[in-house]
Amino acid sequence: MKYYATVNDHTYEIIIEHPDRILVDGVEYHVDVQAINGRQLYSLLLNNASHEVVLDPASDQKSLYDILVGGQRYLVKVQDERARRLALADRNLKSPDGELAIRAPIPGLIVKVLVTPGQAVAEGEPLLILEAMKMENELRSPRGGVIHEVRVEARTQVAQGQTLITLR
Amino acid sequence: MKYYATVNDHTYEIIIEHPDRILVDGVEYHVDVQAINGRQLYSLLLNNASHEVVLDPASDQKSLYDILVGGQRYLVKVQDERARRLALADRNLKSPDGELAIRAPIPGLIVKVLVTPGQAVAEGEPLLILEAMKMENELRSPRGGVIHEVRVEARTQVAQGQTLITLR
Amino acid sequence: MFKKVLVANRGEIAVRILRACGERGLRTAAVYSDADRTALHVRYADEAYRIGPPPARESYLNIPAIIAAAVAAGADAVHPGYGFLAENEHFAEAVLATGLAWIGPPPEAIRAMGDKIAARRTMIAAGVPVTPGTDIGLTDAEAIRAAEELGYPVLVKATAGGGGKGMRVVNDPADLPKSLAAARREALAAFGDDTIYLEKFVPRARHVEIQILADSHGNCIHLGERECSIQRRHQKLIEEAPSVAMTPELRAEMGAVAVRAARAVGYCNAGTVEFLLDRSGRFYFLEMNTRLQVEHPVTEMVTGVDIVKEQLAIAAGRRMRWSQEDIRIKGHAIECRINAEDPYNDFLPQAGRITSLSEPTGPGVRLESGIYAGWEVSLFYDPLLAKLVVWGENRAEAILRMRRALAEYRIGGIHTTIPFHQRVMDSTRFQGGQFDTQFLDGPDGFRMSATPGRALERVAAIAAALIEHERGQEAVIFGASPAGERRGMSPWKQAGRIGAMRPR
Amino acid sequence: MFKKVLVANRGEIAVRILRACGERGLRTAAVYSDADRTALHVRYADEAYRIGPPPARESYLNIPAIIAAAVAAGADAVHPGYGFLAENEHFAEAVLATGLAWIGPPPEAIRAMGDKIAARRTMIAAGVPVTPGTDIGLTDAEAIRAAEELGYPVLVKATAGGGGKGMRVVNDPADLPKSLAAARREALAAFGDDTIYLEKFVPRARHVEIQILADSHGNCIHLGERECSIQRRHQKLIEEAPSVAMTPELRAEMGAVAVRAARAVGYCNAGTVEFLLDRSGRFYFLEMNTRLQVEHPVTEMVTGVDIVKEQLAIAAGRRMRWSQEDIRIKGHAIECRINAEDPYNDFLPQAGRITSLSEPTGPGVRLESGIYAGWEVSLFYDPLLAKLVVWGENRAEAILRMRRALAEYRIGGIHTTIPFHQRVMDSTRFQGGQFDTQFLDGPDGFRMSATPGRALERVAAIAAALIEHERGQEAVIFGASPAGERRGMSPWKQAGRIGAMRPR
């Protein structure tokens, strides 16, 4: 099987033919991965180097893995050949940046909404203030764009994962 | 539901009518039992006294519970009313002490068999020597009786749980 | 000594106190909200009493319920821990009025130090240095004028504030109105009181605090300092003892001032006097915490004094076993607060079930924890899950030991601050001891990069591909049918297959 | 210092050594048998090398495989731990011949102390007191004659023995032939050598040992004693430091004798000289363990010396950082060996999966462990799972702390010696310090009663009834149909129901 694993905009081509030998961008590695008591902690031996890999349970069906290794967290997207071909074809049809939903990362109270629909925002610009655990948390824009919808208003309680603002 | 819990030859009558109130030999107790991450460790509040109860996984379908509480281990047999009536009826038909199988508690090598069929043995008398972990372990008779069968001989390897000797 | 102690708290500090009581042969009673029925403090106590539903207001802040539990338990003493009602003099009074011992300072001392403004006045009278500041209860307009007089940067502080809540540093006059509004909102929400005042902000300062022990026989000593400058939004994240900024002379001087501060309010039991220490060695009284402090273990590890056991003895009227001369600082201790917060996502609080847990152990490692595998972390309470504390012969060994302990610490199921602490321990600025309270928040502060280092990127990519591959193989075993069609499969067969696969 | 250390061991001691290396900034390589692929020492090492199938003979005793792993890893030093090849001079020689450093004593010292008879002669020559005994290689007939001369009780010892294997105390001449046969059988099975000899048995004696550190610059010091009398069949179960039987004068005397013993064989690195100490304060050399000892942590906790880190420094040719005057005994430490053995069933070794694990933490607790939740305990290796070590200001505090730590320690899935240790800590004879090596095995020894105390009998009965009731309720939820008919049920629905039930 051939896989494409993308981290930080860098894609590795990984061919898994044997259970214990793989090719990474053409270079052979001896591998042995073993789950430790469940499906979140793995022991990985990679050419004898021993790594503990913690998988975030949020890692979902979309083959997106939130991986903690050596105190560093990486978001890795894994595609097999077919999925990759489909995705590449898809990218040619759509604009690279689609609509992005800003969701509540924790349940809390909206203290203030700082933007209005149609407003252009830069990456890192504060969008709203969410109070949780009695602390005010500023939610900032993950990229530049234009506010499409504002779905909440101040003094409303929001649930975790609820869409607050959409960005285009 | 009425249960009979027998420990060390003492039987407690336990009536569970409400989820949080029970009668033990007619005395009311407030109870709250909660499993902790699985089915082996329980937190028990008994009239506000907090106990941690560890259940041995060997506790099987026969309602025999191997329970560790406060550093003490107890073997508790639990019967509901129907099971108890059946058991009492059963006891009237059979002799109180039936045949007892002495099983290998661990896999190992039989070093020596110390008894022969027909031999009378006292409680605590050595029956055979089992070598495991490079140590010799004497298996002793759990009660007095007469050796019925000796199913192994010296220098044979035995599996865990294998019946070695039967006692009547 | 007491016979039974009720611990009016939860989490790691309740466990810490229960252990100390158990090791002194005292019976213990825990209290719990409905969210905490299976919490570690309930499991480890001899007895446990329900005090209400999950919200703290209705349980851990519910004075009548806690007093009722203490009476029902037949306790003869109450330890409040930290947070919740620990610095509430009405609770202390209620405990004493019920005829129980209060394992903490006299209510008068709590009151004297709880009112920040009165405390400042008392300290000035006692000759304790304080930063310049205003009176309390300023309007926004008065605050704007006062700030000009003090000179920027200024600190907006809520009178009722604490734990960093209702506090804002303002560098630029233009930001003051916004900061005033935010501080008032936070203080109102957290403490029901939006009264504020201003203080001159001391830039580039360290937060250094002195641990105090005083008994009811007039003895009062200090156990040296703790360095608590690694803070985020005024919330401490890493503490150490001793401070790299300290000299024996300065320690003696600050210690003497702290003892003077404690004596000025008739202090008894354990307490902490917080100071700002500037770059030239000048120090200013900040406030006194009239309770056991979260970070007390670092002091215990370098002095050998068990502060909680001393608290019990002092509250029972015993004379302290230590005089100032007995206190020697040996080695170096560091504490990392392990919070249920996502350091890669602005430290947002996390909730969820702890699916797996491996705790660091071994030489020089002390863990103070309130969690276990299977525990459900809720958003009802403080995000502090555990404190990882290490001791080393010197600071270098302590940092190396903390690195290895953090690397062993695996909390599955939720994000925690462990990766943050790993980054700090790897930071040369931290290793060099060159930091102040701006280390995290300041303009040249420490940041968790959104794009972490590339060192292990390839390893992460390979791990993800292998796990994806393994999952694909499992899907093949189950059959490639969509989820809806899998339903007819025998649960037993399926369980068997899952069991036969990789996980051990 | 070295760059990379290969640890030629497994279990808790491998983890202990890996941690010490990591904290000194050294890279680490582990070795593993097929039974240990996911063992903690493999997970915690920087690198890991497979050395063979599960049986120790083919893996952890396989010298060529381990040397090959060290070469493949590019290691420049090997630490053998204890057990396995730690006292095998051929392994030490092979390591040195490969050009790697050996973190242990010179092979000559291992050899000199490994031959028990030659060691006795060397000790007699060096003026070290030994018990009367015979030459080696006795026939049974010779042994029977020799025993008469020595006078009963006598000790039958296998020349190649160790760890209590191939050793028997004989009180009655009638038992000698049976004991000779048993000792020979055990020694032959364990060491491939059934050569035996006899020693006079010292009754009512304590097993007290002295920890030695010697560097390659001619410095040799002792770190005081360990009390190891709580043994079962010559296997230590509980160790403490200091010994209640010790006075400062006796410590100085035994320490000086131990240093003399070490110097007599040109010792270098860490080692332990074992003595019998009788009731009148006379002591007799037993043997010298030319390696790191299982129970080294109790010495570390009362002296503050990290013995493993000293081993690394000494092996790297460094001069010891400590002189005899620096060594001060502070407080009291106790270690309990947590074995996979059933104390209610004659300490039979246990195998199986550790289904859940809660480890004790908090002040004064140090855990040295090689297990985790999910780990499969096999019968291939030693039953030692972990060592629970506590420190207290004094022996009373240490015992109380051990009690609370044992009460917190929950290993689910297999039986362990934890309940045994709880009973010992509760024993007034242990608390009073009035014991010798016969505490467990002797005629008035400590016994785990088959019928435990009735204190918690009612609690156990209630718990069992409630769990039975709960299980009955679950059966109702699933429907009372036999297992065969349940198969049609949706696995998803079922999983949901299981999830909704009690376990948290």
Side-chain angles (χ1 to χ4, degrees):
Chain A
M1 288 284 285
K2 192 186 280 189
Y3 295 90
Y4 296 91
T6 306
V7 203
N8 297 336
D9 297 326
H10 184 203
T11 299
Y12 297 85
E13 182 201 81
I14 298 170
I15 300 173
I16 305 178
E17 293 296 350
H18 305 274
D20 61 347
R21 269 183 303 136
I22 63 172
L23 289 173
V24 181
D25 295 338
V27 180
E28 188 178 86
Y29 285 81
H30 284 260
V31 293
D32 179 12
V33 68
Q34 299 283 343
I36 304 291
N37 200 29
R39 276 140 190 283
Q40 274 181 256
L41 179 59
Y42 292 82
S43 167
L44 170 65
L45 293 186
L46 189 65
N47 286 352
N48 289 113
S50 177
H51 299 281
E52 286 213 289
V53 175
V54 183
L55 199 64
D56 190 77
S59 298
D60 60 8
Q61 295 73 19
K62 280 177 262 163
S63 300
L64 201 61
Y65 293 90
D66 183 344
I67 276 182
L68 191 66
V69 56
Q72 310 264 3
R73 196 189 298 168
Y74 297 91
L75 204 62
V76 187
K77 185 161 186 67
V78 182
Q79 297 173 303
D80 62 20
E81 253 178 313
R82 192 173 140 272
R84 182 169 166 89
R85 243 182 274 119
L86 284 174
L88 288 174
D90 206 39
R91 188 178 292 180
N92 295 334
L93 294 174
K94 286 194 197 158
S95 90
D97 302 21
E99 187 169 291
L100 186 72
I102 313 295
R103 297 169 194 278
I106 37 171
L109 181 78
I110 301 297
V111 174
K112 209 167 184 177
V113 179
L114 304 167
V115 292
T116 47
Q119 182 179 337
V121 292
E123 181 183 332
E125 196 171 322
L127 302 179
L128 47 75
I129 297 173
L130 175 70
E131 188 196 287
M133 312 280 298
K134 305 223 166 72
M135 290 285 286
E136 295 192 356
N137 304 284
E138 267 182 356
L139 293 196
R140 291 159 182 276
S141 185
R143 63 164 170 83
V146 174
I147 301 299
H148 178 55
E149 288 176 291
V150 175
R151 298 205 190 160
V152 288
E153 53 192 49
R155 316 232 138 258
T156 52
Q157 200 71 33
V158 293
Q160 187 162 358
Q162 184 178 334
T163 298
L164 310 175
I165 286 172
T166 60
L167 189 71
R168 275 195 175 164
Chain B
M1 288 284 282
K2 191 187 280 189
Y3 295 90
Y4 297 92
T6 307
V7 204
N8 296 337
D9 296 327
H10 184 203
T11 298
Y12 297 85
E13 182 201 82
I14 298 169
I15 300 174
I16 305 178
E17 293 295 352
H18 306 273
D20 61 348
R21 268 183 304 135
I22 63 172
L23 289 174
V24 181
D25 294 339
V27 179
E28 189 179 86
Y29 286 81
H30 284 260
V31 293
D32 180 11
V33 67
Q34 299 282 343
I36 305 291
N37 199 30
R39 276 138 191 282
Q40 274 181 256
L41 180 57
Y42 291 82
S43 167
L44 170 66
L45 292 186
L46 188 66
N47 285 352
N48 290 112
S50 177
H51 299 281
E52 286 213 289
V53 174
V54 182
L55 198 63
D56 189 77
S59 298
D60 58 7
Q61 295 72 21
K62 280 176 264 164
S63 300
L64 201 61
Y65 293 90
D66 183 344
I67 276 182
L68 192 65
V69 57
Q72 311 263 2
R73 195 189 300 167
Y74 297 92
L75 203 64
V76 188
K77 186 162 186 65
V78 182
Q79 296 174 304
D80 62 19
E81 255 178 310
R82 192 175 140 273
R84 183 169 165 86
R85 246 181 272 118
L86 285 175
L88 288 174
D90 206 39
R91 188 177 293 182
N92 295 335
L93 296 174
K94 286 194 198 156
S95 89
D97 303 20
E99 187 169 290
L100 186 72
I102 313 296
R103 295 169 196 277
I106 38 169
L109 181 77
I110 300 297
V111 175
K112 209 165 182 177
V113 179
L114 304 166
V115 292
T116 48
Q119 182 180 338
V121 292
E123 180 183 331
E125 195 171 323
L127 302 179
L128 48 75
I129 298 171
L130 175 70
E131 188 196 288
M133 313 281 297
K134 303 227 166 71
M135 290 284 286
E136 295 192 356
N137 304 285
E138 268 182 353
L139 294 197
R140 292 158 182 275
S141 186
R143 63 163 170 85
V146 174
I147 301 299
H148 178 55
E149 287 176 292
V150 175
R151 298 205 191 162
V152 288
E153 53 192 50
R155 315 233 140 258
T156 53
Q157 199 71 33
V158 293
Q160 186 163 359
Q162 184 179 334
T163 298
L164 310 175
I165 284 173
T166 61
L167 189 71
R168 277 195 173 164
Chain C
M1 188 45 80
F2 311 117
K3 287 195 185 63
K4 193 186 284 183
V5 175
L6 180 125
V7 180
N9 215 302
R10 65 179 300 282
E12 67 83 19
I13 195 62
V15 171
R16 166 76 183 94
I17 298 162
L18 291 170
R19 284 171 170 160
C21 293
E23 291 178 8
R24 294 218 64 159
L26 312 181
R27 299 269 305 165
T28 55
V31 293
Y32 64 96
S33 78
D34 291 332
D36 281 344
R37 165 60 187 89
T38 59
L40 219 48
H41 73 285
V42 174
R43 293 168 48 194
Y44 283 180
D46 292 320
E47 301 169 16
Y49 295 81
R50 180 186 176 276
I51 48 168
R57 238 177 315 259
E58 301 169 56
S59 50
Y60 298 103
L61 293 173
N62 183 343
I63 294 179
I66 294 171
I67 297 288
V71 170
D76 49 5
V78 172
H79 196 307
Y82 57 70
F84 295 127
L85 297 168
E87 289 178 287
N88 183 317
E89 79 254 32
H90 305 298
F91 181 53
E93 282 163 354
V95 166
L96 293 166
T98 312
L100 313 178
W102 168 253
I103 303 170
E108 301 73 38
I110 300 177
R111 188 178 305 120
M113 286 298 189
D115 180 339
K116 304 281 186 299
I117 300 305
R120 278 172 62 90
R121 286 201 201 102
T122 312
M123 290 303 104
I124 291 165
V128 172
V130 302
T131 51
T134 70
D135 272 346
I136 60 161
L138 301 183
T139 63
D140 282 13
E142 287 166 342
I144 289 163
R145 270 197 305 280
E148 291 301 330
E149 278 166 38
L150 285 170
Y152 284 87
V154 296
L155 198 58
V156 179
K157 283 175 107 171
T159 317
K165 282 165 194 159
M167 204 192 290
R168 285 288 188 283
V169 179
V170 184
N171 292 296
D172 186 331
D175 294 337
L176 187 57
K178 185 181 149 196
S179 296
L180 286 167
R184 286 193 203 273
R185 259 201 317 271
E186 259 182 36
L188 193 64
F191 314 104
D193 177 358
D194 68 353
T195 312
I196 58 103
Y197 67 103
L198 300 191
E199 270 180 26
K200 174 101 183 104
F201 179 73
V202 182
R204 311 264 90 195
R206 290 170 182 265
H207 176 120
V208 172
E209 60 187 29
I210 303 283
Q211 175 71 50
I212 288 295
L213 277 181
D215 67 19
S216 56
H217 303 271
N219 303 300
C220 184
I221 64 170
H222 72 89
L223 304 183
E225 81 286 359
R226 290 186 288 261
E227 160 72 74
C228 310
S229 299
I230 308 295
Q231 306 182 348
R232 182 183 169 275
R233 295 187 180 183
H234 307 285
Q235 300 262 29
K236 297 166 187 167
L237 287 169
I238 298 173
E239 298 100 342
E240 25 180 340
S243 165
V244 291
M246 195 57 66
T247 61
E249 296 71 35
L250 184 56
R251 177 177 300 129
E253 189 189 341
M254 288 181 73
V257 167
V259 166
R260 206 187 308 151
R263 287 195 187 279
V265 294
Y267 205 81
C268 181
N269 213 291
T272 298
V273 185
E274 296 190 332
F275 295 100
L276 282 180
L277 174 64
D278 78 10
R279 300 195 136 194
S280 57
R282 274 187 304 255
F283 56 93
Y284 307 93
F285 172 84
L286 269 178
E287 62 179 332
M288 182 166 185
N289 293 311
T290 55
R291 53 163 162 85
L292 185 64
Q293 198 95 326
V294 176
E295 58 271 25
H296 74 276
V298 294
T299 298
E300 294 184 326
M301 292 189 91
V302 297
T303 60
V305 176
D306 187 319
I307 294 171
V308 179
K309 286 184 183 168
E310 286 306 313
Q311 285 194 295
L312 296 172
I314 288 169
R318 300 269 175 91
R319 194 176 288 275
M320 247 193 296
R321 294 180 307 137
W322 312 87
S323 65
Q324 192 64 58
E325 296 69 46
D326 299 329
I327 305 303
R328 295 266 176 283
I329 309 296
K330 190 187 169 193
H332 197 96
I334 304 178
E335 170 179 287
C336 288
R337 298 193 189 192
I338 312 301
N339 289 345
E341 294 174 337
D342 184 354
Y344 285 94
N345 195 5
D346 206 26
F347 288 82
L348 275 169
Q350 306 286 302
R353 189 176 138 96
I354 293 172
T355 51
S356 68
L357 180 66
S358 303
E359 296 177 331
T361 59
V365 173
R366 170 175 166 185
L367 187 66
E368 297 289 337
S369 172
I371 61 169
Y372 59 85
W375 173 244
E376 189 80 32
V377 178
S378 76
L379 293 175
F380 287 111
Y381 313 112
D382 193 271
L384 183 69
L385 301 176
K387 303 178 311 204
L388 177 56
V389 194
V390 301
W391 179 90
E393 272 183 55
N394 48 50
R395 189 166 185 267
E397 188 185 54
I399 292 174
L400 283 161
R401 183 161 278 164
M402 183 60 89
R403 283 171 67 159
R404 82 94 178 143
L406 288 165
E408 291 175 8
Y409 206 168
R410 310 246 170 258
I411 301 178
I414 57 168
H415 293 308
T416 73
T417 48
I418 292 172
F420 162 79
H421 291 297
Q422 290 180 290
R423 299 288 281 280
V424 175
M425 293 301 134
D426 285 346
S427 134
T428 49
R429 269 183 68 211
F430 179 79
Q431 288 167 4
Q434 296 314 305
F435 52 80
D436 53 53
T437 55
Q438 300 290 293
F439 181 69
L440 297 183
D441 295 325
D444 63 338
F446 177 91
R447 291 248 176 273
M448 284 299 271
S449 159
T451 306
R454 307 232 155 200
L456 293 166
E457 190 184 275
R458 182 188 307 265
V459 175
I462 291 170
L466 288 168
I467 294 166
E468 171 84 3
H469 181 70
E470 183 182 87
R471 289 184 176 180
Q473 299 298 103
E474 288 169 14
V476 172
I477 293 174
F478 283 135
S481 60
E485 286 179 48
R486 280 183 221 164
R487 300 212 168 161
M489 190 175 180
S490 151
W492 312 113
K493 223 165 149 188
Q494 182 181 340
R497 276 177 179 169
I498 290 172
M501 275 180 300
R502 280 282 169 83
R504 297 197 176 176
Chain D
M1 190 45 81
F2 311 116
K3 289 195 183 63
K4 192 186 287 181
V5 176
L6 180 125
V7 180
N9 215 303
R10 65 178 301 283
E12 67 84 19
I13 194 62
V15 171
R16 165 76 183 93
I17 298 162
L18 291 169
R19 283 171 171 159
C21 293
E23 291 177 8
R24 293 219 66 158
L26 312 181
R27 299 269 306 164
T28 54
V31 293
Y32 65 94
S33 76
D34 291 332
D36 281 345
R37 164 61 186 89
T38 59
L40 219 48
H41 73 285
V42 174
R43 293 167 49 194
Y44 284 180
D46 293 320
E47 301 169 17
Y49 294 82
R50 178 185 177 277
I51 48 167
R57 238 178 314 260
E58 301 169 57
S59 51
Y60 299 104
L61 292 172
N62 183 343
I63 295 179
I66 295 170
I67 296 289
V71 170
D76 48 5
V78 172
H79 196 307
Y82 57 68
F84 294 129
L85 297 167
E87 289 178 287
N88 183 317
E89 79 254 34
H90 306 299
F91 182 52
E93 281 163 354
V95 167
L96 293 167
T98 312
L100 313 178
W102 169 253
I103 303 170
E108 301 71 39
I110 300 178
R111 188 178 306 121
M113 287 298 189
D115 180 339
K116 304 280 187 299
I117 300 304
R120 278 171 62 88
R121 288 199 202 105
T122 311
M123 290 305 103
I124 292 165
V128 172
V130 301
T131 51
T134 70
D135 273 345
I136 59 160
L138 301 183
T139 63
D140 282 14
E142 287 166 344
I144 289 164
R145 271 196 306 278
E148 292 302 329
E149 277 166 36
L150 286 170
Y152 286 85
V154 296
L155 198 57
V156 179
K157 283 176 107 171
T159 317
K165 282 165 193 158
M167 204 192 287
R168 287 287 188 285
V169 179
V170 184
N171 291 296
D172 185 331
D175 294 336
L176 186 57
K178 184 182 151 195
S179 296
L180 285 167
R184 284 191 203 274
R185 260 201 317 270
E186 260 182 35
L188 192 65
F191 313 105
D193 178 357
D194 68 352
T195 312
I196 56 103
Y197 66 105
L198 301 190
E199 269 180 25
K200 174 100 184 107
F201 179 73
V202 183
R204 312 263 89 196
R206 290 169 182 267
H207 177 120
V208 173
E209 60 188 29
I210 304 283
Q211 175 71 50
I212 289 294
L213 277 182
D215 67 18
S216 57
H217 303 272
N219 303 300
C220 183
I221 64 170
H222 71 89
L223 305 183
E225 81 286 0
R226 290 186 288 261
E227 160 73 72
C228 311
S229 298
I230 308 295
Q231 306 183 347
R232 182 183 169 276
R233 294 187 181 184
H234 309 284
Q235 301 262 28
K236 297 167 186 166
L237 287 169
I238 299 174
E239 297 100 343
E240 18 178 347
S243 166
V244 290
M246 195 57 66
T247 61
E249 296 71 34
L250 184 57
R251 179 177 298 129
E253 190 190 341
M254 286 180 75
V257 167
V259 166
R260 205 187 309 152
R263 287 196 188 278
V265 293
Y267 206 80
C268 182
N269 214 290
T272 297
V273 185
E274 296 190 332
F275 294 101
L276 282 179
L277 175 64
D278 77 12
R279 302 194 134 193
S280 57
R282 274 187 304 257
F283 56 92
Y284 307 92
F285 172 84
L286 269 179
E287 61 179 333
M288 180 165 186
N289 293 312
T290 55
R291 53 164 163 86
L292 183 65
Q293 199 96 325
V294 176
E295 59 270 26
H296 73 276
V298 293
T299 298
E300 294 183 327
M301 292 189 89
V302 296
T303 60
V305 176
D306 187 321
I307 294 171
V308 179
K309 285 185 184 167
E310 286 306 313
Q311 284 194 294
L312 297 172
I314 288 169
R318 301 268 175 91
R319 195 177 287 274
M320 250 194 293
R321 295 180 306 137
W322 312 87
S323 65
Q324 192 63 57
E325 296 69 47
D326 299 327
I327 305 303
R328 294 266 176 283
I329 310 296
K330 190 186 170 196
H332 198 96
I334 303 178
E335 169 179 287
C336 289
R337 298 194 187 190
I338 311 301
N339 289 344
E341 294 174 335
D342 185 353
Y344 284 94
N345 196 4
D346 205 24
F347 288 81
L348 276 169
Q350 306 287 300
R353 191 176 136 96
I354 293 171
T355 51
S356 68
L357 181 66
S358 302
E359 295 177 331
T361 58
V365 173
R366 169 175 167 186
L367 186 66
E368 296 289 338
S369 172
I371 61 170
Y372 58 86
W375 173 242
E376 188 79 32
V377 177
S378 76
L379 293 175
F380 287 112
Y381 312 112
D382 194 271
L384 183 69
L385 301 176
K387 301 177 313 203
L388 178 56
V389 194
V390 301
W391 180 90
E393 272 183 55
N394 48 49
R395 190 166 183 266
E397 187 182 56
I399 291 174
L400 283 161
R401 182 162 279 164
M402 183 59 88
R403 283 170 67 158
R404 81 92 179 144
L406 287 164
E408 291 175 8
Y409 205 167
R410 309 247 170 256
I411 301 179
I414 57 168
H415 293 308
T416 73
T417 48
I418 292 172
F420 163 79
H421 291 297
Q422 290 180 290
R423 299 289 280 281
V424 175
M425 293 302 133
D426 284 347
S427 135
T428 48
R429 268 182 68 212
F430 179 79
Q431 288 168 3
Q434 294 314 305
F435 52 79
D436 53 53
T437 56
Q438 300 290 292
F439 180 71
L440 297 183
D441 295 325
D444 62 337
F446 177 93
R447 291 248 175 272
M448 284 298 273
S449 160
T451 307
R454 306 233 155 201
L456 293 166
E457 188 185 278
R458 182 188 309 265
V459 175
I462 291 169
L466 288 167
I467 294 167
E468 171 85 4
H469 181 71
E470 183 183 88
R471 288 185 175 178
Q473 300 297 102
E474 287 169 15
V476 172
I477 293 173
F478 282 133
S481 60
E485 285 179 50
R486 282 183 218 162
R487 301 215 165 160
M489 190 174 183
S490 151
W492 312 111
K493 220 164 153 188
Q494 182 183 342
R497 276 177 179 170
I498 291 172
M501 276 180 300
R502 280 282 169 83
R504 295 197 176 177

